[in-house]
Amino acid sequence: MPTRSPAGGATRAPGTVGIRVEGIERDFEGFKALGGIDLAIQPGELVALLGPSGSGKTTLLRIIAGLEFATAGSVFFGTEDATHLSVQERRVGFVFQHYALFKHLTVADNIAYGLSVRPRGERPSKAAIKRRVEELIDLVQLNELGGRYPAQLSGGQRQRVALARALAVEPRVLLLDEPFGALDAKVRKDLRRWLRDIHERTGHTTVFVTHDQDEALELADRVAILSKGVLEQVGTPDDIYENPASPFVLSFLGDTVALPVEVRAGRVLLAGDVLDVAPAAGTTDGRHTIYLRPNELALSAPGAGIPGIVVSLRRTVNGRRAEVRVAFSDALIEVEVPTDYPLNVSDRVGLKLQKARLFPA
Amino acid sequence: MSENVSPPSAPSSSAAVNRRIAERAAAHAPLRRSVTTEAPWVKAVTLTLALLFLALFLVLPLVTVFLEALKRGFGVYLNAFAEPDAQHAILLTLTVAAIAVPLNLVFGVAASWAVAKFRFPGKSFLITLIDLPFSVSPVVSGLVFVLLFGAQGYFGPFLKAHNIGIIFALPGIVIATVFVTFPFVARELIPLMQEQGNTDEEAALSLGASGLTAFLTVTLPNIRWGLLYGVLLCNARAFGEFGAVAVVSGHIRGVTNTMPLHIEILYNEYNISAAFAVASLLALLALVTLAAKSVLEWRFAHALAGGRGH
C-alpha cells in the first residue's frame, strides 16, 4: 500500500528505496569528472542534480543507474550495496535525454518492453502485460496513441512514452537525464507540472538532471548543485536560494552583479566610501565581494543603500526597467521599477539591499 | 531569416511573418524561377548525355546478353542448362554464396559492432583494412590464398599430410569469395551504427534486457535495412566474382567451375550461345537483386528515413 512520504507529502511507490552515494569519484583519462560526491536521497524524494554543462551531473546519474562505473566510492539502494550490481540488477527506471525510444516498436510495445524481455519464469502473462501497459498509457495521458510509432509523436509525447516505459518495470528509483532538455519552452512548462503530478501519484524516489535553475527550483524537493565535479550545496529550493553556500551557487541561481568591497569594523566600504549596508554578524574584516541580485534591490532616494546613476529606462510588460550604473564601478544592474515611480535618465538613486551577500574575495 | 522581414520593433508572430513571406513569394512567382533551375538547353544537354551513356554502357550490353543467348532459339538456350557441367557450375555458385554470405553477415556485424561501439587502439587501421578487398586486384587476392594454402604454400605440407584440399576445391573458392565480398556488409553498417550510438542499447539494458536480448530486439531491428542492403550487394558479388575465384579454383570442369568461370570456358571454346545463355542467367540474378533492393527501398522508405533521422 502506498504510504505517506516524509519528503514531499506524497504517496510512496511500494518498493521504492532511498539512494546514498559515498565518496563517488570518476576519472576520464586523467580528467576528474567527479571528485568525491556524498549525497543521501530519502525514499520518495524528488531531487534535482543541477549544474552547468561539464559539472558531472549526468555522469553521477549514470553511475547511480549502473550505466557507468565510479573509479572510487559506493552506491547504496536502501541498505543494499549496489556498487557492483549491473544495470539490470539495479532495477532503475532511466529516462534518456533524447528518449531512446525503440523506433521499430509501437508506443504500447515500447512500454511493454521491460516486462516482455523478462526471463520466462518472472514474465507476467500477456494479458497482465497488456493491462499494465494500458494503466501506464492512462497515467501518462497518451490514450489512443498506443498503436503509433515514436516517429509519429511530438517531443512531449515521446517524453511521456519514455517515462511510462521506465515506470513499467516497477523500478526502485526513477532517474531522468535532462528530461525536458530537448523540448520547447511551452511544452517544458506543461511537462514540469505534469512530472510533479506523476511523482505525487506514484511516489518513486526520483533524481533528475538539469541545467535549468528554474526547473530545479520549481520541481524538486531538494536541489543538489554541482560544479566541476564537486557538490557545492544541497538543500531545499528556498534554502539554496536564500542561503547560497558559495559565490558559485549564488551566481548560478540567477543574475548577479559582483562588486569588490572591503569590510572594516562592521562597515562595508566601496572604493573607500561607507555603504549603507549592514554585513551579517561575524563577517570578518578584509577584502570581500558583495553580490547584488536585481530582485532583492529596491530603488530609493540617493543616500540610502548603494549609490548609483540611472543610465537608461525601458518600458517592459510589467512596468519599467532601469539600468543603473553602480557608483565607483563599471557594473550595470537592471532594476524593475513601477510605472508611477518618478524616475529619469541621469537621476542619482540609492540601491537598497534586503540582504548584504558578502563572500571573502 | 524571418526576423529580417519583420520590422525590428513590432513583435510579429511567426505565423504572420510566414504569411507575408508566402504573399511575397506568390507575387514574384510568375517572374522568377527557382535559383537552382538551369536554362532549358542545359537541362536538355545533361539529360541527353546521361541517357545516351546509360543506353550505351548499361542497357545495350544487357540487352545483347539476352538477345545473343536466345539467338538460336529457346531450345538451344535451354540445352545450355541441360549440360551437367553447366548445372554443376550453377549449383557450385549457389553453394559458395550460401556459405560466404552468411559468414560475411556475421563478420560484417561483428566488425561494425566493434568499430561503432568500442574505442580501441588501431581502430582507424581496422576500418582501412576492411576496405582492402576493394582496393586490391581480385587476382592478387586469389594468389595470396594460393601462397598460403597451395601445394607450395605455407600450410601446403600440413594440409597435404592431413589430406585437406583447399586450393582447387570448394573451401578455396569459398575463402576467396569471403575475402572479396567482406567489405559489403561492414561498409554498409559501420556508418549506420556509428550514427545510432548506443543509447537504445542502454535503454534496453536499463529495462532489464540481457546483452543478447538487447542485440536481438533493439540493435538488429535498428540496422535491419542496412544489413539487408549489404547482404544483397554481398550476394550479387559472391555470384559474380571471377578474378580471385579463377586463381584458386583451377578451372576443373564439373568440379571447381563456378558460373562466371564456366561462361569464360564456353566463350573460349567458341560456344557462344551457351556462354551467353549462362551469362543471361547470371545477369538475371543481378537484376533480381537490384529489383529486390528497389522494392525494399520503396516499401520501407519510411522506416529507412525514420531509422536515419532524428
Side-chain angles (χ1 to χ4, degrees), chain A residues 29 62 67 87-88 91-92 94 96 98-105 110 113-115 117 151-152 158 165-166 169, chain B residues 119 196 199-211 213-214 217-218 221-222 224 302 306-310:
Chain A
E29 288 159 13
R62 289 171 60 86
L67 290 168
V87 57
Q88 292 99 330
R91 292 200 292 117
V92 298
F94 199 98
F96 292 82
H98 298 289
Y99 326 123
L101 296 180
F102 306 132
K103 293 181 272 294
H104 61 290
L105 298 180
N110 261 285
Y113 185 88
L115 296 174
V117 297
Q152 299 166 305
R158 286 179 201 176
R165 183 179 69 175
V169 294
Chain B
R119 296 174 61 184
Q196 288 179 341
T199 355
D200 282 10
E201 282 78 9
E202 285 184 343
L205 298 179
S206 79
L207 291 165
S210 67
T213 307
T217 58
V218 174
N222 270 346
R224 60 191 158 175
H302 178 74
R308 302 204 172 189
H310 98 232

Side-chain angles (χ1 to χ4, degrees), chain A residues 71-335:
Chain A
T71 317
S74 314
V75 179
F76 291 89
F77 281 8
T79 51
E80 184 189 7
D81 185 351
T83 313
H84 301 291
L85 292 185
S86 68
V87 57
Q88 292 99 330
E89 291 165 327
R90 290 196 193 189
R91 292 200 292 117
V92 298
F94 199 98
V95 176
F96 292 82
Q97 188 178 1
H98 298 289
Y99 326 123
L101 296 180
F102 306 132
K103 293 181 272 294
H104 61 290
L105 298 180
T106 61
V107 166
D109 288 343
N110 261 285
I111 298 173
Y113 185 88
L115 296 174
S116 47
V117 297
R118 284 195 182 160
R120 193 152 302 161
E122 303 163 32
R123 195 189 309 156
S125 69
K126 277 220 164 93
I129 294 181
K130 193 162 179 280
R131 250 195 331 273
R132 178 91 180 115
V133 169
E134 276 164 11
E135 258 172 50
L136 285 160
I137 285 187
D138 197 44
L139 176 76
V140 300
Q141 299 154 23
L142 281 173
N143 311 54
E144 320 294 315
L145 296 182
R148 296 250 189 117
Y149 285 89
Q152 299 166 305
L153 303 179
S154 72
Q157 289 169 335
R158 286 179 201 176
Q159 183 59 273
R160 287 158 192 249
V161 178
L163 184 67
R165 183 179 69 175
L167 288 173
V169 294
E170 282 162 354
R172 294 198 283 180
V173 299
L174 189 58
L175 308 170
L176 304 101
D177 186 9
E178 295 271 4
F180 313 118
L183 301 169
D184 61 58
K186 171 81 177 73
V187 183
R188 276 178 98 106
K189 284 220 145 159
D190 289 349
L191 275 186
R192 239 188 246 179
R193 203 169 309 131
W194 169 81
L195 181 66
R196 180 82 234 183
D197 185 48
I198 294 251
H199 177 258
E200 270 166 23
R201 282 162 66 187
T202 62
H204 285 92
T205 307
T206 303
V207 184
F208 73 100
V209 158
T210 181
H211 62 263
D212 184 326
Q213 302 84 346
D214 253 359
E215 203 164 279
L217 295 179
E218 193 182 320
L219 206 49
D221 295 325
R222 279 194 306 151
V223 180
I225 299 184
L226 282 108
S227 163
K228 295 177 184 153
V230 176
L231 208 51
E232 292 272 341
Q233 192 174 2
V234 187
T236 64
D238 282 342
D239 190 25
I240 59 161
Y241 190 80
E242 291 304 327
N243 308 303
S246 66
F248 171 81
V249 174
L250 178 60
S251 48
F252 189 62
L253 296 175
D255 290 334
T256 53
V257 168
L259 298 174
V261 291
E262 208 177 334
V263 176
R264 211 183 293 154
R267 293 191 303 177
V268 182
L269 288 90
L270 175 64
D273 272 26
V274 177
L275 293 180
D276 176 23
V277 161
T283 307
T284 52
D285 282 6
R287 297 165 73 84
H288 281 69
T289 305
I290 189 164
Y291 291 86
L292 314 182
R293 274 181 175 156
N295 59 330
E296 291 179 349
L297 287 174
L299 277 191
S300 68
I306 299 173
I309 187 162
V310 177
V311 178
S312 76
L313 267 173
R314 291 243 175 255
R315 177 76 219 187
T316 65
V317 180
N318 299 318
R320 285 186 299 171
R321 184 178 297 138
E323 210 175 10
V324 177
R325 172 172 291 127
V326 182
F328 313 113
S329 76
D330 294 330
L332 289 171
I333 190 159
E334 289 187 336
V335 188

Side-chain angles (χ1 to χ4, degrees), chain B:
Chain B
M1 278 306 228
S2 58
E3 281 90 320
N4 295 339
V5 181
S6 66
S9 58
S12 153
S13 78
S14 68
V17 171
N18 286 340
R19 198 169 53 243
R20 223 169 314 140
I21 292 173
E23 279 164 9
R24 283 184 195 188
H28 287 283
L31 300 175
R32 283 175 53 187
R33 56 169 194 270
S34 149
V35 284
T36 51
T37 305
E38 307 297 342
W41 69 269
V42 178
K43 199 166 151 186
V45 168
T46 49
L47 212 59
T48 315
L49 259 175
L51 287 177
L52 264 179
F53 208 80
L54 264 178
L56 200 62
F57 289 97
L58 287 174
V59 182
L60 192 63
L62 207 57
V63 171
T64 312
V65 167
F66 287 97
L67 283 182
E68 199 67 35
L70 292 163
K71 207 157 123 191
R72 302 252 198 97
F74 206 62
V76 178
Y77 180 75
L78 285 184
N79 264 344
F81 300 113
E83 212 195 315
D85 285 355
Q87 285 183 355
H88 188 274
I90 294 167
L91 189 69
L92 182 62
T93 295
L94 294 177
T95 311
V96 169
I99 301 170
V101 173
L103 278 178
N104 271 339
L105 178 91
V106 175
F107 291 165
V109 171
S112 348
W113 179 277
V115 167
K117 314 269 172 177
F118 305 125
R119 296 174 61 184
F120 54 91
K123 183 159 143 177
S124 53
F125 181 65
L126 179 68
I127 297 175
T128 315
L129 212 59
I130 288 172
D131 276 346
L132 191 69
F134 275 170
S135 49
V136 170
S137 161
V139 180
V140 177
S141 316
L143 274 174
V144 168
F145 291 111
V146 173
L147 281 175
L148 280 176
F149 303 119
Q152 268 78 48
Y154 294 115
F155 301 110
F158 171 85
L159 293 170
K160 189 157 187 183
H162 292 80
N163 208 13
I164 303 168
I166 289 187
I167 299 302
F168 306 149
L170 179 67
I173 301 173
V174 170
I175 289 171
T177 308
V178 166
F179 179 82
V180 172
T181 58
F182 177 76
F184 287 100
V185 174
R187 289 236 51 155
E188 196 61 35
L189 290 187
I190 287 171
L192 189 63
M193 287 173 99
Q194 276 178 329
E195 189 191 299
Q196 288 179 341
N198 48 14
T199 355
D200 282 10
E201 282 78 9
E202 285 184 343
L205 298 179
S206 79
L207 291 165
S210 67
L212 182 65
T213 307
F215 177 76
L216 294 176
T217 58
V218 174
T219 312
L220 222 45
N222 270 346
I223 61 170
R224 60 191 158 175
W225 303 123
L227 187 61
L228 205 57
Y229 192 39
V231 164
L232 279 177
L233 289 176
C234 178
N235 189 54
R237 183 65 190 269
F239 279 162
E241 174 53 27
F242 179 83
V245 171
V247 177
V248 295
S249 90
H251 293 86
I252 310 168
R253 280 187 110 143
V255 183
T256 64
N257 261 357
T258 59
M259 276 166 78
L261 302 185
H262 187 65
I263 294 166
E264 197 218 6
I265 289 182
L266 290 173
Y267 184 79
N268 287 344
E269 289 169 350
Y270 301 104
N271 196 345
I272 307 293
S273 27
F276 274 99
V278 183
S280 73
L281 183 64
L282 203 53
L284 198 67
L285 285 173
L287 286 178
V288 168
T289 305
L290 270 183
K293 182 201 139 226
S294 304
V295 167
L296 283 174
E297 275 179 354
W298 169 74
R299 169 77 178 75
F300 299 107
H302 178 74
L304 277 168
R308 302 204 172 189
H310 98 232

